[in-house]
Amino acid sequence: QLFPDQSFESMVRRDLTPKTLVEVKETEKRALSLSQLEDILDLVVDDIGKDGAKWTRPGGGIPTREDVCLYDVRDFLMPHLKQLSSEADGEARVCLMEYVAKEAQHPAWYVSHWWGGTIASMIKCIRRHLKDRDLPAETTYYWICGYALDQANIKNEIPGAITESAFHRAINMHSVQGILVIVKDGSFSRAWVVYEIYEGLLTYDHAGRPKLVDAYALPEGADEAVGLCDGLAAVDMAAFGTWVQHKAVRERAFAEQKALVKEAVSFRVLDAKATEESDRKRILAHVATTMHGEHVLEATVHAWFGAARRDQLIAQGNLDALEPMLRDLRASSVRKVNSVVDPPAAGACSDEHRLEAARRFARALPASCEELRVHGLPESAIPDLCTHLWLHANTRVLDIVDMDLTAVAPSPRGKDVLVPLKSLADALVDETVTGAAPRMPRASWENLLLRPPVPPKRPGEKLRMLSLIRCRLNAYSAPSLLKVLAAAPHLDSLSLSWNPLGPAGFRVIAPALHDARNLAMLSLIGNGLGKEGTNVLAPVLAARAATMTELYLSDNGLGEEGARELGWAFGRLRKLEGVWLGDNALQDAGATHLAEHLASDNKPSIRRLKCVDIFEGNDLTSGGEDALRALLGREPLERAAAKRAAATNDLDLQYVC
């Protein structure tokens, strides 16, 4: 494809075509884009077509495009390339990345894979990964050891210590966002995969942030890969308001690969194998540098891959089968916990067992958990979730969906009656939570040195993203909600969608929003604000003009009067990138009024606007729509329509965008 007038052999001979090859000296910068990986597969298939007999496997048969793997490339193509390279330059050098790239390429993702997996399946997994993460295919580069290492001088790439190897340098590059694990039967038995998973799950990047770890696999006979994403992927975030459920439904296809999941949840570090025994010993020694490293890694892998099964057992109230999985969760270093518990079938289990399963899950959350997203968990688990937040004060993201936070629930001690929202507020401001264990005493050395006592840090101060969606919050619960928001002053993302707060409830919480200096995303979909609520909302938006980038106000019945009230505040939102105003009974005059304030004296804002949803569910004429296109441009309006359509159709989920 790249050089149609040259044969494969002329391409790899440097004396004939020196400009077709580039030598990248730093191994960690030999990453590939998806199209370049496809080019390598084309070259391999082309060579098979020219000399198929050379590719005959020991057990018979010649690999095809769909089943050729890196072991085949190593055994049948590498010797030929070594010979050609040696004849051309006097020394053997074989790095497949250099045959398709024009310069050094910094990796965005590190690919952990087993050489026995097919090249075609890897391409399909990467293609799906790009789609789920919404990454640009041509400029997102993946570091893949089989194509990045100089196979003719492999000993130089893997010196004595693991920390000096090309693997370690690549996985810790500043440009690397995370690790993509291509899962295949036998993957977890490979020592290098153990090392790569360890680096992804138990170590941090150069800035002290946890690394992303995604896992993808190609089901047998399928043309589309399935995967597990670390946290929420871009495709999940598009399903606004149901992102946790969208993630669970999307990843359920991976959980259905029972052989792969069974291998993952039975994974043992000491069972790992390597082609070179010395590599295996060095990897195990490296993992052991973390206290109880092999046990923590095993528990973390079990908890990560067993999450879907764990949610099923909670919904069924199956306490006996659930307990081993909770032991793994408790012993793990999982940083992101997502739990979607479907309502049980009628008569499937007793309510008592289901509620107890939810409480046990909440008590098993590890101290390492930084992102907690729960969907449909029974309200009985709220006090124990609050205890976790209170004791560990480590949570940065809290997402609670479809849980009644205003319900009256018995405390774990069985003495008091708790309103879950009040318990959450108490936990975030570091007050006593009913049923919680007492705080640990301060270290004795502090007392010996007579240092003044340091007041405990409020758990809410670490929160950066808070979502309380469909939690039945109303005007009566607004004072407790105000306490929650006031305890989290550094929020940059807040969603209170589909809660009947009404104008009265919003008026109570408005002071906390006014003081949230970092707030960039605010979602108030379906809050019933009406015209009265816009009188309070407009000053809040004006106060947050320096930070607000996304605003969701759909389904609030704003009407023409509400649009006129919000106009002046919209004119100040100079950093706004997306605004959702569907289903608000807006007419031409009101919609045009808002658009004019976005456009007037605010050209930088217009250039930033990426998505404006104002057509759907409003009473606009064709002339009014044309006027909006002239004011805001076609692209933001069309992008919003495309997002709404994609979100509504994807995975058969029903919700309002």
Side-chain angles (χ1 to χ4, degrees):
Q1 284 181 293
L2 294 174
F3 311 101
D5 298 328
Q6 300 173 26
S7 67
F8 180 72
E9 290 193 6
S10 69
M11 285 182 60
V12 300
R13 289 182 63 93
R14 302 175 188 217
D15 54 337
L16 295 179
T17 57
K19 292 184 179 179
T20 63
L21 294 178
V22 58
E23 184 173 336
V24 181
K25 294 184 179 181
E26 296 174 287
T27 310
E28 60 271 23
K29 296 180 181 177
R30 299 175 191 160
L32 292 167
S33 67
L34 176 62
S35 61
Q36 290 170 340
L37 184 57
E38 291 172 335
D39 291 339
I40 290 178
L41 179 58
D42 290 338
L43 296 177
V44 170
V45 173
D46 184 56
D47 194 64
I48 294 175
K50 290 179 179 178
D51 190 3
K54 179 184 71 177
W55 288 80
T56 304
R57 290 167 171 166
I62 298 173
T64 65
R65 184 183 188 89
E66 292 301 319
D67 67 2
V68 64
C69 67
L70 271 170
Y71 283 132
D72 295 322
V73 175
R74 180 198 66 182
D75 295 339
F76 307 126
L77 182 59
M78 291 299 180
H80 183 53
L81 296 182
K82 288 178 184 179
Q83 179 182 353
L84 292 174
S85 178
S86 180
E87 291 174 359
D89 294 342
E91 62 176 354
R93 175 181 174 82
V94 180
C95 174
L96 290 176
M97 175 267 185
E98 295 176 348
Y99 294 122
V100 294
K102 297 180 180 179
E103 59 185 353
Q105 296 174 160
H106 292 244
W109 287 82
Y110 179 104
V111 177
S112 173
H113 67 106
W114 175 44
W115 282 36
T118 67
I119 301 175
S121 65
M122 179 185 290
I123 289 173
K124 292 176 181 178
C125 288
I126 290 177
R127 184 180 293 118
R128 181 69 191 189
H129 182 253
L130 289 166
K131 178 181 178 182
D132 289 347
R133 288 283 182 187
D134 193 22
L135 301 171
E138 291 304 318
T139 56
T140 301
Y141 300 110
Y142 293 81
W143 195 91
I144 308 169
C145 67
Y147 309 105
L149 300 179
D150 179 4
Q151 301 296 335
N153 301 282
I154 198 68
K155 294 295 184 184
N156 297 335
E157 306 281 21
I158 312 174
I162 290 292
T163 53
E164 298 174 1
S165 67
F167 295 87
H168 190 80
R169 294 198 306 274
I171 210 169
N172 289 287
M173 280 277 289
H174 285 205
S175 60
V176 171
Q177 302 172 21
I179 299 169
L180 172 61
V181 183
I182 307 294
V183 183
K184 176 75 176 173
D185 292 341
S187 295
F188 292 98
S189 65
R190 308 307 301 170
W192 280 109
V193 173
V194 170
Y195 160 75
E196 290 154 352
I197 293 178
Y198 165 81
E199 285 289 326
L201 293 177
L202 298 187
T203 65
Y204 292 81
D205 66 12
H206 63 282
R209 297 184 299 259
K211 298 171 183 172
L212 295 174
V213 183
D214 296 346
Y216 278 73
L218 184 68
E220 187 175 353
D223 194 51
E224 187 83 5
V226 296
L228 299 176
C229 285
D230 193 346
L232 297 176
V235 69
D236 302 321
M237 295 298 291
F240 191 83
T242 59
W243 42 43
V244 181
Q245 186 181 7
H246 188 282
K247 173 183 172 66
V249 174
R250 178 178 58 79
E251 295 183 349
R252 200 165 290 166
F254 188 98
E256 291 170 356
Q257 309 307 307
K258 295 183 178 179
L260 296 179
V261 175
K262 183 178 180 181
E263 182 181 346
V265 298
S266 60
F267 158 75
R268 294 289 179 270
V269 171
L270 295 180
D271 294 341
K273 301 177 179 62
T275 305
E276 299 290 338
E277 181 62 19
S278 59
D279 289 347
R280 177 181 178 274
K281 291 181 179 179
R282 285 182 293 172
I283 289 169
L284 295 182
H286 181 74
V287 172
T289 57
T290 300
M291 184 178 293
H292 307 299
E294 65 274 15
H295 303 299
V296 175
L297 179 58
E298 289 170 0
T300 303
V301 172
H302 298 169
W304 184 33
F305 284 93
R309 176 60 177 161
R310 185 178 64 232
D311 291 343
Q312 291 175 359
L313 295 176
I314 293 173
Q316 297 167 5
N318 190 338
L319 300 178
D320 293 336
L322 180 64
E323 193 56 38
M325 306 194 81
L326 294 184
R327 280 200 299 268
D328 284 328
L329 179 62
R330 190 179 296 110
S332 73
S333 287
V334 171
R335 295 159 180 156
K336 299 172 185 176
V337 177
N338 299 277
S339 180
V340 176
V341 179
D342 295 329
C349 66
S350 69
D351 289 341
E352 182 181 352
H353 285 178
R354 185 168 178 267
L355 298 179
E356 178 61 22
R359 285 194 288 265
R360 291 188 185 184
F361 162 75
R363 290 195 290 267
L365 290 170
S368 59
C369 179
E370 297 179 3
E371 297 187 15
L372 176 60
R373 295 182 171 93
V374 290
H375 187 295
L377 204 66
E379 288 74 18
S380 62
I382 287 289
D384 292 295
L385 288 176
C386 294
T387 301
H388 166 80
L389 297 172
W390 184 58
L391 289 177
H392 301 299
N394 194 42
T395 306
R396 297 172 60 85
V397 174
L398 181 60
D399 197 337
I400 299 176
V401 183
D402 277 336
M403 296 175 67
D404 187 358
L405 296 184
T406 63
V408 174
S411 74
R413 304 288 183 182
K415 296 180 180 179
D416 302 303
V417 173
L418 299 177
V419 175
L421 185 63
K422 183 179 184 302
S423 299
L424 179 61
D426 292 342
L428 294 179
V429 298
D430 200 30
E431 295 182 3
T432 301
V433 178
T434 307
R439 280 257 182 199
M440 297 294 290
R442 297 193 178 280
S444 58
W445 58 266
E446 276 195 1
N447 299 330
L448 290 174
L449 293 175
L450 301 178
R451 292 186 175 181
V454 179
K457 187 171 184 178
R458 292 185 172 188
E461 292 186 359
K462 276 204 170 183
L463 270 181
R464 296 297 180 270
M465 176 178 175
L466 177 64
S467 298
L468 304 175
I469 300 174
R470 287 193 295 273
C471 293
R472 302 187 184 180
L473 305 177
N474 51 39
Y476 295 102
S477 57
S480 293
L481 179 58
L482 173 64
K483 191 176 180 181
V484 169
L485 299 178
H490 305 302
L491 285 177
D492 54 41
S493 177
L494 174 65
S495 177
L496 301 174
S497 297
W498 293 293
N499 289 297
L501 283 171
F506 187 75
R507 185 174 291 106
V508 174
I509 67 171
L513 301 182
H514 189 279
D515 296 337
R517 299 183 180 277
N518 300 325
L519 194 62
M521 192 285 284
L522 177 63
S523 175
L524 301 172
I525 298 175
N527 282 177
L529 298 181
K531 184 262 179 185
E532 296 82 359
T534 58
N535 297 329
V536 184
L537 177 60
V540 170
L541 296 181
R544 300 277 58 83
T547 58
M548 190 71 65
T549 59
E550 292 184 69
L551 181 61
Y552 297 80
L553 295 175
S554 301
D555 195 18
N556 268 296
L558 302 180
E560 292 292 278
E561 294 185 22
R564 284 194 292 271
E565 186 67 35
L566 286 177
W568 69 272
F570 272 42
R572 298 191 180 187
L573 298 176
R574 297 180 180 275
K575 291 190 175 182
L576 198 65
E577 296 180 359
V579 58
W580 279 256
L581 294 164
D583 300 290
N584 271 307
L586 298 179
Q587 298 178 4
D588 291 349
T592 304
H593 180 73
L594 292 175
E596 286 174 346
H597 277 83
L598 283 173
S600 63
D601 299 326
N602 199 14
K603 298 304 179 185
S605 176
I606 290 298
R607 287 197 296 271
R608 285 194 185 95
L609 275 177
K610 299 176 181 177
C611 201
V612 180
D613 178 38
I614 199 171
F615 288 167
E616 190 72 23
N618 289 317
D619 303 326
L620 303 179
T621 65
S622 58
E625 293 182 359
D626 291 341
L628 291 176
R629 291 189 184 96
L631 283 169
L632 302 174
R634 288 181 173 272
E635 188 174 345
L637 296 166
E638 291 174 355
R639 186 179 289 115
K643 279 192 174 185
R644 177 185 283 269
T648 305
N649 295 329
D650 197 16
L651 299 177
D652 296 324
L653 290 177
Q654 298 298 319
Y655 60 92
V656 179
C657 179

